[in-house]
């Protein structure tokens, strides 16, 4: 017992030291010191520009309010990440970039369509196509309607903006908890190109190439970028010929054309395509059953286990493609913007709901631990149209107003084969259609040069319908496969959201604000393979009431910026998955779970003590909990959840980064950098299972970069997870065992990257 207490004390001390270090080091989540000037225009494109080459903190311009504005003046809590910096750090997906965003976490699941992003402890946990995401993802003004679409490689990215809290008054789709706003790079006028590549331990390879320049000087500029990346994986399949799994392969293209036929008109055309395959694999984390341990042998369940025994490993295939056209017309100080877009997402999943894998050998199969094979396909398409008008900025009222429409169509086929002493199977064909209409706007009232008011409103109408047909070998309920059924339904709801606030400049460089925002998330249907009669009723919309106080300040002649936000958000009719029992098997059930809330503090600090030294960090305290849980009849799990923590919400999380640039005598530049992310213990299970708790952990990364002073080439050495800390991105409890999601950074590895520009 004394030894256990010593270990616990050591972990707590390490966490405390990490949090103290995060709050003491002067830093922020913007990485503004390294961002190159991008030249924002008046069409709503944002730029990140360096104020000057001295020791000031670089100024950052964002498009979070649909206008170009300084990050330090926008009355919102925002984190900005530089695309090039993320690529150098081998953070190339939403899953990996959350290490740099203390207020965000990522839930890894078996497939892309089941993974999701959380902001301030709130996110969507559902595989149903009839549920919209709580955190909206927007790429170049186009909303991605399904969470699975956002699990793509970050190709040709200028920056990522993370807006915390409800954002319905300015962004096209509902966003009751936050927005992930991704902005791609603009092509320049000069003909230029690049090739860069990286190789990392574990046989991970990444190659990117691009070319950009003017086709017609000052009229037409274009860029074309390509990506290839693959990774064997960090989980060993011990089955004969199994090899490595938990890896990926990605191939992508992105083309952009910017047309300026006259001074008052800009047209942007974007096409993108990304094909990816992956083999995500959960490993046995804990076993309390001798039968389970025998079934997975020779694998030994343990917290650090990175092996499986599956004759058919998981195989996930995604194709994302899209076209968009943005037109910006400026007249008499106004800007009229139109964004038209079409996107398709195809997903194929060959997975298993059994820990012993697909179609396992008869000697490993038991009634308690059968072998399952799931085969699912998703064909999703969306069409969207957004119109906005931005007023001149020199009057008493500055405003942005708009209208939005989105049509989504989803068709899915899901098959399950369950093998015990017999083979049982079922197939479900189902789909969802949704039409979303919205009118929105937000205005700033300039009462005095120092005092401003904020007024925003949004009306939204959602029309949602589904159909579902299941065939089955089972005439009665059976674990994993339910009897044949058929149903259909439709619903429509009107919703309202808005924003009110005041903004006051206490002094030059010190801006304060207080806002109230109402968030809205539309109605939902729980449409999935084993859909039952109880799932045919539509869920009510989810609403939220958010209060935020913030201070954004610059000090010491802009060598230091300090931003602080305090927030409290209460959610009603929270849409969440609940455990229930069907035929003796525990299954998930989507319900209006009741009332939850999140509150906390967020600190972002950036410092430039000298021209060579940059310090960056962010710290978040988030208390996300269940206030009043609505327990459905005949629930399989305890409903004594009031006051408990929401899953995927660590109370403390921070990120610290230091960079030191050293000019060499031969004209070369040497950059030394290190970063440290740390978070407190995290509960992954809504029902507070002690086996689903990830303990506190910290990750240390470092890099050494050598580049030419003209920027023509760059070579970097990268070290990831130097402390060799193993951790889980998800822990899933089942009868007799627990499985773990294994992240890419689960162990220490090194890599080298190189870039050549021409």
């Amino acid at each position: 017992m004394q030894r256990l207490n010593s270990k616990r004390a050591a972990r707590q001390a390490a966490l405390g030291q990490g949090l103290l270090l995060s709050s003491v080091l002067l830093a922020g989540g913007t990485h503004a010191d390294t961002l190159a000037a991008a030249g924002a225009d008046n069409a709503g494109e944002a730029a990140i520009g360096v104020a000057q080459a001295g020791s000031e903190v670089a100024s950052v311009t964002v498009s979070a309010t649909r206008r170009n504005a300084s990050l330090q003046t926008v009355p919102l809590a925002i984190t900005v990440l530089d695309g090039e910096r993320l690529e150098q750090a081998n953070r190339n997906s939403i899953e990996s970039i959350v290490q740099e965003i203390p207020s965000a976490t990522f839930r890894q699941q078996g497939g892309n369509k089941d993974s999701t992003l959380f902001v301030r402890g709130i996110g969507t946990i559902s595989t149903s196509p009839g549920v919209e995401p709580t955190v909206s993802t927007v790429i170049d003004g186009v909303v991605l309607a399904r969470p699975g679409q956002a699990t793509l490689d970050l190709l040709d990215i200028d920056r990522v903006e993370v807006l915390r809290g409800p954002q319905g008054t300015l962004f096209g789709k509902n966003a009751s908890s936050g927005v992930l706003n991704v902005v791609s790079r603009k092509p320049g006028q000069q003909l230029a190109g690049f090739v860069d590549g990286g190789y990392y331990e574990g046989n991970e390879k990444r190659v990117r190439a691009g070319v950009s320049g003017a086709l017609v000087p000052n009229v037409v500029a274009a860029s074309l970028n390509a990506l290839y990346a693959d990774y064997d994986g960090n989980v060993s399949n011990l089955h004969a010929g199994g090899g490595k799994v938990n890896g990926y392969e990605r191939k992508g293209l992105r083309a952009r054309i910017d047309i300026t036929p006259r001074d008052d008109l800009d047209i942007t055309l974007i096409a993108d395509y990304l094909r990816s395959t992956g083999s995500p694999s959960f490993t046995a984390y804990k076993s309390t059953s001798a039968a389970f341990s025998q079934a997975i042998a020779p694998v030994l369940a343990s917290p650090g286990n990175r092996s499986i025994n599956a004759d058919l490993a998981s195989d996930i295939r995604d194709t994302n493609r899209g076209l968009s056209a943005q037109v910006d017309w400026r007249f008499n100080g106004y800007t009229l913007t139109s964004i038209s877009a079409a996107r398709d997402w195809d997903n194929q999943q060959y997975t298993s709901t059994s820990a012993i894998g697909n179609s396992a050998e008869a000697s490993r199969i038991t009634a308690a631990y059968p072998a399952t094979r799931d085969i699912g396909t998703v064909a999703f398409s969306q069409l969207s149209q957004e119109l906005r008008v931005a007023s001149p900025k020199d009057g008493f009222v500055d405003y942005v107003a708009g209208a939005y429409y989105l049509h989504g169509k989803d068709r899915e086929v899901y098959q399950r084969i369950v093998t015990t002493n017999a083979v049982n199977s079922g197939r479900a064909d189902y789909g969802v259609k949704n039409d979303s209409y919205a009118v929105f706007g937000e205005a700033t009232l300039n009462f005095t040069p120092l005092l401003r008011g904020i007024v925003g409103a949004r009306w939204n109408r959602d029309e949602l319908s589904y159909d579902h047909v299941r065939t089955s070998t089972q005439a009665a309920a059976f674990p994993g496969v339910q009897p044949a059924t058929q149903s259909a339904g439709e619903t429509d709801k009107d919703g309202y959201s808005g924003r009110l606030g005041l903004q006051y400049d206490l002094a030059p460089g010190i801006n304060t604000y207080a806002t109230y925002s109402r968030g809205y998330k539309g109605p939902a249907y729980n449409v999935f393979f084993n859909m039952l009669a109880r799932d045919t009723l539509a869920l009510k919309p989810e609403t939220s009431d958010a209060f935020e106080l913030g201070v954004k300040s610059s000090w010491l002649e802009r060598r230091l910026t300090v931003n602080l936000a305090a927030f409290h958000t209460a959610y009603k009719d929270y849409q969440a998955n609940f455990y229930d029992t069907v035929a003796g098997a525990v299954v998930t059930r989507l319900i209006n779970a009741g009332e939850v809330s999140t509150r906390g503090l967020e600190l972002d600090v950036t410092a430039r003590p000298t021209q060579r030294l940059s310090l960056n960090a962010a710290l978040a305290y988030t208390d996300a909990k269940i206030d009043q849980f609505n327990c459905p009849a005949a629930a399989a799990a305890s409903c004594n959840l009031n006051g408990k923590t929401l899953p995927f919400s660590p109370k403390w999380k921070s990120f610290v980064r230091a960079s030191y640039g050293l000019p060499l005598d031969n004209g070369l530049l040497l950059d030394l950098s290190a970063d440290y992310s740390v978070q407190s213990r995290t509960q992954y299970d809504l029902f507070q299972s002690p086996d689903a708790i990830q303990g506190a952990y910290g990750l240390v990364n470092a890099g050494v970069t050598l580049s030419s002073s003209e920027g023509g080439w760059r070579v970097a050495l990268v070290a990831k997870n130097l402390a060799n800390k193993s951790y889980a991105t998800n822990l899933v409890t089942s009868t007799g065992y627990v499985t773990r999601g294994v992240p890419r950074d689960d162990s220490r590895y090194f890599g080298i990257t190189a870039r050549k520009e021409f």
Side-chain angles (χ1 to χ4, degrees):
M1 179 63 71
Q2 183 177 1
R3 183 177 180 182
L4 291 176
N5 290 337
S6 298
K7 289 184 176 180
R8 184 179 298 110
R11 287 195 300 267
Q12 292 173 346
L15 174 62
Q17 291 170 0
L19 294 173
L20 179 62
L21 176 63
S22 300
S23 59
V24 169
L25 281 180
L26 302 176
T30 62
H31 305 326
D33 55 287
T34 64
L35 306 184
D41 56 25
N42 293 323
E45 291 289 341
I48 300 178
V50 178
Q52 66 180 44
S55 57
E56 289 184 353
V57 170
S59 62
V60 179
T61 305
V62 296
S63 58
T65 57
R66 299 304 202 183
R67 292 181 181 270
N68 293 335
S70 168
L71 175 66
Q72 292 302 107
T73 64
V74 173
L76 288 171
I78 309 171
T79 298
V80 184
L81 305 178
D82 174 48
E84 184 175 354
R85 174 71 70 181
L86 292 173
E87 179 68 25
Q88 290 181 43
N90 198 29
R91 293 187 175 117
N92 46 66
S93 65
I94 304 303
E95 175 185 355
S96 58
I97 70 171
V98 296
Q99 291 182 15
E100 300 193 17
I101 310 170
S103 55
T105 55
F106 184 82
R107 173 185 181 263
Q108 179 186 352
Q109 197 54 31
N112 290 353
K113 76 185 187 75
D114 305 333
S115 301
T116 191
L117 184 68
F118 288 69
V119 172
R120 289 178 171 174
I122 306 295
T124 302
I125 302 178
S126 177
T127 63
S128 170
V131 182
E132 67 182 39
T134 301
V135 180
S136 181
T137 300
V138 181
I139 298 182
D140 289 323
V142 179
V143 176
L144 305 186
R146 294 287 303 274
Q149 293 173 281
T151 55
L152 44 78
D153 201 290
L154 299 176
L155 173 63
D156 193 35
I157 298 302
D158 179 68
R159 72 189 180 281
V160 178
E161 301 174 1
V162 182
L163 288 63
R164 284 117 56 184
Q167 305 296 327
T169 59
L170 284 175
F171 282 83
K173 196 75 172 69
N174 303 326
S176 61
S177 182
V179 168
L180 185 78
N181 187 34
V182 181
V183 181
S184 67
R185 294 188 178 95
K186 297 180 63 175
Q189 287 292 314
Q190 299 297 319
L191 179 62
F194 74 92
V195 176
D196 69 24
Y199 181 82
Y200 306 87
E201 283 186 289
N203 200 29
E204 182 177 17
K205 303 177 292 292
R206 295 182 60 81
V207 179
R208 296 187 310 147
V211 61
S212 66
L215 301 179
V216 179
N218 301 316
V219 178
V220 181
S223 63
L224 177 64
N225 290 270
L227 162 77
Y228 176 81
D230 67 26
Y231 171 48
D232 291 347
N234 57 0
V235 173
S236 298
N237 186 1
L238 303 185
H239 196 276
K244 290 288 188 178
V245 294
N246 210 38
Y248 63 81
E249 181 183 49
R250 299 167 187 160
K251 305 173 184 177
L253 288 170
R254 185 178 183 86
R256 174 169 174 159
I257 301 176
D258 287 11
I259 307 171
T260 307
R262 58 178 193 255
D263 291 342
D264 61 354
L265 183 63
D266 295 315
I267 302 171
T268 300
L269 307 176
I270 299 175
D272 66 88
Y273 174 89
L274 181 68
R275 172 79 173 173
S276 65
T277 60
S279 54
S281 300
F282 274 54
T283 62
Y285 179 83
K286 181 180 181 180
S287 174
T288 58
S289 165
F292 174 75
S293 297
Q294 180 181 357
I296 65 172
V299 174
L300 297 177
S302 67
N305 172 38
R306 287 191 288 271
S307 60
I308 63 171
N309 181 11
D311 51 336
L312 290 174
S314 62
D315 183 11
I316 311 295
R317 304 181 181 185
D318 282 273
T319 302
N320 266 288
R321 50 186 173 263
L323 295 170
S324 68
Q326 178 169 333
V327 180
D328 296 288
W329 176 40
R330 295 174 293 279
F331 59 97
N332 299 327
Y334 291 86
T335 300
L336 180 65
T337 299
S338 168
I339 304 177
S340 308
R343 295 202 63 85
D344 291 315
W345 174 47
D346 295 326
N347 172 272
Q348 295 177 310
Q349 297 197 100
Y350 300 84
T351 59
S352 174
T353 57
S354 165
I356 66 172
N358 302 310
S359 305
E361 297 91 337
S363 61
R364 297 171 55 200
I365 297 172
T366 65
Y369 303 107
T372 67
R373 186 183 186 191
D374 290 353
I375 305 171
T377 61
V378 176
F380 177 76
S381 61
Q382 67 175 72
L383 297 172
S384 62
Q385 175 63 53
E386 183 170 354
L387 294 172
R388 292 197 310 266
V389 60
S391 72
K393 297 184 68 174
D394 53 0
F396 171 69
V397 179
D398 299 338
Y399 65 84
V400 175
Y404 179 79
Y405 169 72
L406 182 141
H407 171 74
K409 181 180 180 181
D410 176 273
R411 296 305 309 175
E412 300 192 21
V413 177
Y414 202 93
Q415 303 174 70
R416 174 170 294 169
I417 302 170
V418 180
T419 304
T420 53
N421 56 351
V423 177
N424 306 285
S425 64
R427 168 176 168 152
D429 295 73
Y430 52 90
V432 170
K433 292 182 181 180
N434 70 284
D435 290 280
S436 180
Y437 309 84
V439 177
F440 59 90
E442 185 169 297
T444 299
L445 310 178
N446 299 295
F447 298 123
T448 73
L450 302 179
L451 178 64
R452 295 170 292 281
I454 305 165
V455 180
R458 174 190 179 92
W459 167 82
N460 199 95
R461 179 174 179 82
D462 291 295
E463 298 174 354
L464 185 67
S465 64
Y466 85 93
D467 62 271
H468 183 278
V469 177
R470 183 174 62 244
T471 58
S472 174
T473 60
Q474 299 303 304
F478 181 82
V481 180
Q482 300 303 308
T485 186
Q486 181 174 346
S487 64
E490 61 181 25
T491 187
D492 56 76
K493 293 289 184 181
D494 291 346
Y496 301 90
S497 54
R499 189 166 182 250
L500 295 172
L502 288 173
Q503 187 177 15
Y504 183 70
D505 298 339
L506 288 177
I510 303 178
N511 167 36
T512 65
Y513 64 91
T515 60
Y516 161 76
S517 302
R518 179 173 176 82
Y520 177 83
K521 177 180 174 180
Y525 278 110
N526 190 23
V527 186
F528 66 114
F529 168 68
N530 269 333
M531 188 177 184
L532 300 174
R534 67 185 182 196
D535 301 306
T536 59
L537 297 177
L539 274 71
K540 293 184 291 185
E542 174 185 297
T543 60
S544 58
D545 295 288
F547 298 88
E548 184 170 307
L549 296 173
V551 178
K552 295 187 175 183
S553 60
S554 299
W555 306 87
L556 304 176
E557 298 181 341
R558 285 194 52 82
R559 289 195 173 111
L560 171 68
T561 63
V562 180
N563 297 339
L564 179 67
F567 64 91
H568 181 280
T569 307
Y571 291 79
K572 294 182 179 179
D573 295 315
Y574 179 59
Q575 298 174 2
N577 261 330
F578 181 77
Y579 289 128
D580 208 344
T581 300
V582 176
V586 177
V587 299
T588 56
R589 176 181 179 185
L590 190 70
I591 63 171
N592 286 116
E595 300 178 6
V596 302
S597 61
T598 178
R599 61 194 57 78
L601 293 169
E602 297 162 337
L603 175 67
D604 295 284
V605 189
T606 304
R608 195 78 179 269
T610 71
Q611 187 174 350
R612 296 179 181 180
L613 178 62
S614 300
L615 300 171
N616 310 284
L619 173 69
Y621 168 77
T622 305
D623 181 17
K625 65 180 183 180
I626 303 165
D627 296 320
Q628 181 64 48
F629 194 87
N630 294 333
C631 189
S638 170
C639 288
N640 185 23
L641 299 177
N642 294 349
K644 302 297 185 181
T645 301
L646 282 171
F648 298 92
S649 177
K651 279 200 172 183
W652 293 96
K653 186 180 177 185
S654 65
F655 177 78
V656 179
R657 187 177 190 282
S659 177
Y660 187 81
L662 181 64
L664 303 180
D665 293 339
N666 54 7
L668 301 180
L669 300 176
L670 184 67
D671 182 81
L672 308 175
S673 63
D675 64 67
Y676 177 58
S677 60
V678 60
Q679 69 179 52
S680 60
R681 68 194 296 269
T682 306
Q683 172 62 257
Y684 289 140
D685 183 13
L686 178 66
F687 298 94
Q688 315 299 307
S689 169
D691 291 327
I693 296 176
Q694 167 61 55
Y697 67 93
L699 300 176
V700 180
N701 308 301
V704 179
T705 303
L706 183 67
S707 60
S708 65
S709 57
E710 297 81 11
W713 59 268
R714 181 185 69 228
V715 177
L717 298 176
V718 179
K720 306 287 288 185
N721 193 359
L722 280 170
N724 201 30
K725 176 63 179 178
S726 179
Y727 64 102
T729 52
N730 196 1
L731 292 169
V732 179
T733 58
S734 302
T735 303
Y737 64 94
V738 182
T739 55
R740 172 177 79 114
V742 182
R744 170 63 178 105
D745 294 353
D746 189 53
S747 62
R748 178 173 51 240
Y749 68 95
F750 299 90
I752 183 171
T753 67
R755 179 183 178 95
K756 173 61 178 174
E757 299 177 355
F758 55 87

Coordinates of all heavy atoms in Angstrom, one line a residue, residues 464-489:
L464 N -35.8 16.7 -41.1 CA -35.0 15.5 -41.0 C -35.9 14.3 -41.2 O -37.0 14.2 -40.7 CB -34.4 15.4 -39.6 CG -33.4 14.3 -39.3 CD1 -32.1 14.4 -40.1 CD2 -33.1 14.3 -37.8
S465 N -35.5 13.3 -42.0 CA -36.2 12.1 -42.3 C -35.3 10.9 -42.4 O -34.1 11.1 -42.7 CB -37.1 12.2 -43.6 OG -36.2 12.3 -44.7
Y466 N -35.8 9.7 -42.1 CA -35.0 8.5 -42.2 C -35.8 7.3 -42.7 O -37.0 7.4 -42.6 CB -34.4 8.2 -40.8 CG -35.3 7.3 -39.9 CD1 -35.2 5.9 -39.9 CD2 -36.2 8.0 -39.1 CE1 -36.1 5.2 -39.1 CE2 -37.1 7.2 -38.3 CZ -37.0 5.8 -38.4 OH -37.9 5.1 -37.6
D467 N -35.2 6.3 -43.2 CA -35.8 5.0 -43.5 C -34.8 3.9 -43.1 O -33.6 4.1 -43.1 CB -36.1 4.9 -44.9 CG -34.9 5.0 -45.8 OD1 -34.6 6.1 -46.2 OD2 -34.4 3.9 -46.1
H468 N -35.3 2.8 -42.6 CA -34.5 1.7 -42.1 C -35.2 0.3 -42.4 O -36.3 0.1 -42.0 CB -34.3 1.9 -40.6 CG -33.4 0.9 -39.9 ND1 -33.8 -0.3 -39.5 CD2 -32.1 1.0 -39.6 CE1 -32.8 -1.0 -39.0 NE2 -31.7 -0.2 -39.0
V469 N -34.4 -0.6 -42.9 CA -34.9 -2.0 -43.2 C -33.8 -2.9 -42.7 O -32.6 -2.8 -43.2 CB -35.2 -2.2 -44.6 CG1 -35.7 -3.7 -44.9 CG2 -36.3 -1.3 -45.1
R470 N -34.1 -3.9 -41.9 CA -33.1 -4.9 -41.5 C -33.7 -6.3 -41.7 O -34.8 -6.6 -41.4 CB -32.8 -4.7 -40.0 CG -31.7 -5.7 -39.5 CD -31.3 -5.5 -38.1 NE -32.4 -5.7 -37.1 CZ -32.8 -4.7 -36.3 NH1 -32.3 -3.5 -36.4 NH2 -33.8 -4.9 -35.5
T471 N -32.8 -7.1 -42.3 CA -33.1 -8.5 -42.5 C -32.2 -9.3 -41.5 O -31.1 -8.8 -41.2 CB -32.9 -9.0 -43.9 OG1 -31.5 -8.7 -44.3 CG2 -33.8 -8.3 -44.9
S472 N -32.7 -10.5 -41.1 CA -31.9 -11.1 -40.0 C -32.2 -12.6 -40.1 O -33.3 -13.1 -40.5 CB -32.3 -10.6 -38.7 OG -31.7 -11.3 -37.6
T473 N -31.2 -13.4 -39.7 CA -31.4 -14.9 -39.5 C -32.1 -15.2 -38.2 O -32.5 -16.3 -37.9 CB -30.0 -15.6 -39.5 OG1 -29.2 -15.1 -38.4 CG2 -29.3 -15.4 -40.8
Q474 N -32.3 -14.1 -37.3 CA -32.9 -14.3 -36.0 C -34.3 -14.0 -36.0 O -34.7 -12.9 -36.4 CB -32.1 -13.5 -35.0 CG -30.6 -13.8 -34.9 CD -30.4 -15.3 -34.5 OE1 -30.9 -15.8 -33.5 NE2 -29.6 -16.0 -35.4
A475 N -35.1 -14.9 -35.4 CA -36.5 -14.6 -35.2 C -36.8 -13.9 -33.9 O -37.8 -13.3 -33.7 CB -37.4 -15.9 -35.3
A476 N -35.8 -14.1 -33.0 CA -35.9 -13.4 -31.7 C -34.7 -12.7 -31.4 O -33.7 -12.8 -32.1 CB -36.2 -14.5 -30.6
A477 N -34.7 -11.8 -30.3 CA -33.5 -11.0 -30.0 C -32.3 -11.9 -29.7 O -32.4 -12.9 -29.0 CB -33.8 -10.1 -28.8
F478 N -31.2 -11.5 -30.2 CA -29.9 -12.3 -30.1 C -28.8 -11.3 -29.9 O -28.8 -10.2 -30.6 CB -29.7 -13.2 -31.3 CG -28.4 -14.0 -31.2 CD1 -28.4 -15.2 -30.6 CD2 -27.3 -13.5 -31.8 CE1 -27.3 -16.0 -30.5 CE2 -26.1 -14.3 -31.8 CZ -26.1 -15.5 -31.1
P479 N -27.8 -11.5 -29.0 CA -26.8 -10.6 -28.8 C -26.0 -10.2 -30.1 O -25.5 -11.1 -30.8 CB -25.8 -11.3 -27.8 CG -26.7 -12.2 -27.1 CD -27.7 -12.7 -28.1
G480 N -26.1 -9.0 -30.5 CA -25.3 -8.5 -31.7 C -26.2 -8.4 -32.9 O -25.9 -7.7 -33.8
V481 N -27.2 -9.3 -33.0 CA -28.1 -9.3 -34.2 C -29.5 -9.4 -33.8 O -29.9 -10.4 -33.1 CB -27.7 -10.5 -35.2 CG1 -28.6 -10.5 -36.4 CG2 -26.3 -10.5 -35.6
Q482 N -30.3 -8.4 -34.2 CA -31.7 -8.3 -33.8 C -32.6 -8.9 -34.9 O -32.2 -9.0 -36.1 CB -32.1 -6.9 -33.5 CG -31.3 -6.3 -32.3 CD -31.4 -7.1 -31.0 OE1 -32.5 -7.4 -30.6 NE2 -30.3 -7.5 -30.5
P483 N -33.9 -9.2 -34.6 CA -34.8 -9.7 -35.7 C -35.0 -8.6 -36.8 O -34.7 -7.5 -36.6 CB -36.1 -10.0 -34.9 CG -35.6 -10.1 -33.5 CD -34.5 -9.2 -33.3
A484 N -35.6 -9.1 -37.8 CA -36.0 -8.2 -39.0 C -36.9 -7.1 -38.5 O -37.8 -7.3 -37.6 CB -36.6 -9.0 -40.1
T485 N -36.8 -5.9 -39.1 CA -37.6 -4.8 -38.8 C -37.6 -3.8 -39.9 O -36.7 -3.8 -40.8 CB -37.2 -4.1 -37.5 OG1 -38.1 -3.1 -37.1 CG2 -35.8 -3.5 -37.6
Q486 N -38.6 -2.9 -39.9 CA -38.7 -1.9 -40.9 C -39.4 -0.7 -40.3 O -40.4 -0.8 -39.6 CB -39.4 -2.4 -42.1 CG -39.5 -1.3 -43.2 CD -40.1 -1.9 -44.5 OE1 -40.2 -3.1 -44.7 NE2 -40.5 -1.0 -45.4
S487 N -38.8 0.5 -40.5 CA -39.4 1.7 -40.0 C -39.0 2.9 -40.8 O -38.0 2.9 -41.6 CB -39.1 2.0 -38.5 OG -37.7 2.2 -38.4
A488 N -39.7 4.0 -40.6 CA -39.4 5.3 -41.3 C -40.0 6.4 -40.4 O -40.9 6.2 -39.7 CB -39.9 5.4 -42.7
G489 N -39.4 7.6 -40.6 CA -39.9 8.7 -39.8 C -39.4 10.1 -40.3 O -38.5 10.1 -41.1

